[in-house]
Amino acid sequence: MKRLRGATFSLTEHIPMARWCLALAVISFGAAVSVHKYIKLADTAAFSSLETLFMIMTDITNIVFIYLPLYLFIVCGIMFDNGFGGIEILRCGSRESWLAGKLLTYIANTVLFFGAVFIINYAVCSRAFNFSRAWSSGFVGFRVMTGQPSSDFAAPPVPSIAAACAAVLLFYILCGMVNMLVSLVSNGEAAALFVSLFAGIALGLANMMAVSNSMESQLLRCVVLAPASAAVYVFCIAAVRKKDFAGKKLY
C-alpha cells in the first residue's frame, strides 16, 4: 500500500502544467499548418478527414521534427522533481517503487500528449474535410504517385490509423525511456533532453523512412518498439540501484 501511495503521488504531482500550456498551443498551430498544406493538395485529389489524418500521423516532419521535441520538452524534467529522489524514495519504500512511479508519470504524460495530438489534428481535419469510412481512389492514386505501395490500403482507414497511432505512441514511450535512463546516468535535464532527442530523431528517421505504412507494417513496428522500451527500463532499474542520492544509501 505504501508503494502504491508513492506511485500515485508521483503520478499526480508531476504534470508540468506550464510546459503543457505551451505544448497545446504548438500542437494547435502545427495541426492548422498541416491541414492547410493538405487543403492545397486537395486540388489534385479530394481527401477525406481520415485520409488527411493518416497523412499527418505518418508524416516524418510532424512526428519526428515537430511533436517529438515538444514531447521530450514536457517529460524531460520529470526525473528531477523534488530533488531527484530523496524524500520521494523514502515515501515509496524502495528505489524500484520510486522508479515505477516515475515510469507511470512518463506513460501518463505520453498518453496525454499523444491524445492531444490526435484529438486536435482530427478536430481540425474534420472541419476542413468530409468524413468517409473508405479510402478514395483519388487519395490512393496520390499516395501511389508519391511512392507508397497500393497494398498499404488493403485495410480500411480506421484500423490503419489505429495501427499507425499505436506505433507512434510506442515510439514516444521508447524515447521517454531513453530520457529516463540518461537522466539517471547524467543527473542533467539538458543532457537527457539532448541525448533522447538525438536518439529519437535517428530512430524516427529509420522507422518512418520505411516505404510501407500498411497496417501490418505499423503493427510490426509495435512488436519491435514495445520490447525495446521494456529493455531500456531494465537498464533504468540497474542504474537506479547503483545511484547515490544526496550522498545517502537508500533502499
Side-chain angles (χ1 to χ4, degrees):
M1 184 63 68
K2 184 177 180 180
R3 294 183 178 184
L4 180 60
R5 286 199 302 267
T8 304
F9 173 82
S10 180
L11 182 61
T12 56
E13 293 296 323
H14 305 316
I15 304 295
M17 295 307 299
R19 300 190 188 203
W20 265 103
C21 290
L22 177 61
L24 291 175
V26 175
I27 292 171
S28 300
F29 177 77
V33 171
S34 296
V35 171
H36 181 71
K37 177 178 69 175
Y38 291 117
I39 289 175
K40 290 185 176 181
L41 289 175
D43 294 336
T44 304
F47 303 140
S48 70
S49 58
L50 291 181
E51 290 167 344
T52 307
L53 182 64
F54 176 81
M55 289 189 287
I56 292 174
M57 301 309 297
T58 57
D59 184 78
I60 295 175
T61 301
N62 291 325
I63 300 304
V64 176
F65 294 104
I66 296 178
Y67 296 133
L68 176 61
L70 191 61
Y71 160 70
L72 291 174
F73 170 71
I74 290 176
V75 302
C76 67
I78 289 174
M79 293 298 293
F80 301 97
D81 288 338
N82 291 346
F84 198 27
I87 299 301
E88 279 190 283
I89 294 179
L90 295 175
R91 180 184 289 109
C92 294
S94 70
R95 294 166 181 258
E96 289 80 4
S97 296
W98 172 78
L99 188 64
K102 294 296 186 182
L103 172 65
L104 289 177
T105 308
Y106 268 94
I107 293 177
N109 278 276
T110 307
V111 172
L112 289 174
F113 176 82
F114 189 77
V117 170
F118 179 85
I119 291 172
I120 292 173
N121 275 283
Y122 181 67
V124 177
C125 290
S126 297
R127 292 293 301 271
F129 299 95
N130 295 323
F131 177 83
S132 175
R133 295 183 179 273
W135 303 113
S136 65
S137 58
F139 171 77
V140 175
F142 171 77
R143 296 297 285 180
V144 170
M145 184 177 62
T146 57
Q148 189 170 354
S150 59
S151 58
D152 284 3
F153 307 101
V158 172
S160 297
I161 293 172
C165 289
V168 176
L169 176 62
L170 289 173
F171 166 62
Y172 284 170
I173 289 177
L174 175 58
C175 292
M177 294 300 96
V178 173
N179 183 272
M180 175 188 287
L181 178 61
V182 178
S183 296
L184 286 168
V185 174
S186 68
N187 295 332
E189 181 177 338
L193 176 60
F194 175 79
V195 174
S196 58
L197 179 59
F198 180 82
I201 290 175
L203 179 61
L205 289 175
N207 177 42
M208 303 295 291
M209 283 297 290
V211 175
S212 177
N213 279 313
S214 66
M215 183 179 68
E216 291 78 11
S217 298
Q218 298 291 356
L219 293 177
L220 180 60
R221 290 182 175 97
C222 294
V223 171
V224 174
L225 291 169
S229 298
V232 176
Y233 184 68
V234 171
F235 284 105
C236 290
I237 294 174
V240 80
R241 287 174 176 171
K242 298 178 179 179
K243 188 170 182 59
D244 180 22
F245 289 94
K248 296 180 181 180
K249 188 175 182 58
L250 299 172
Y251 297 93

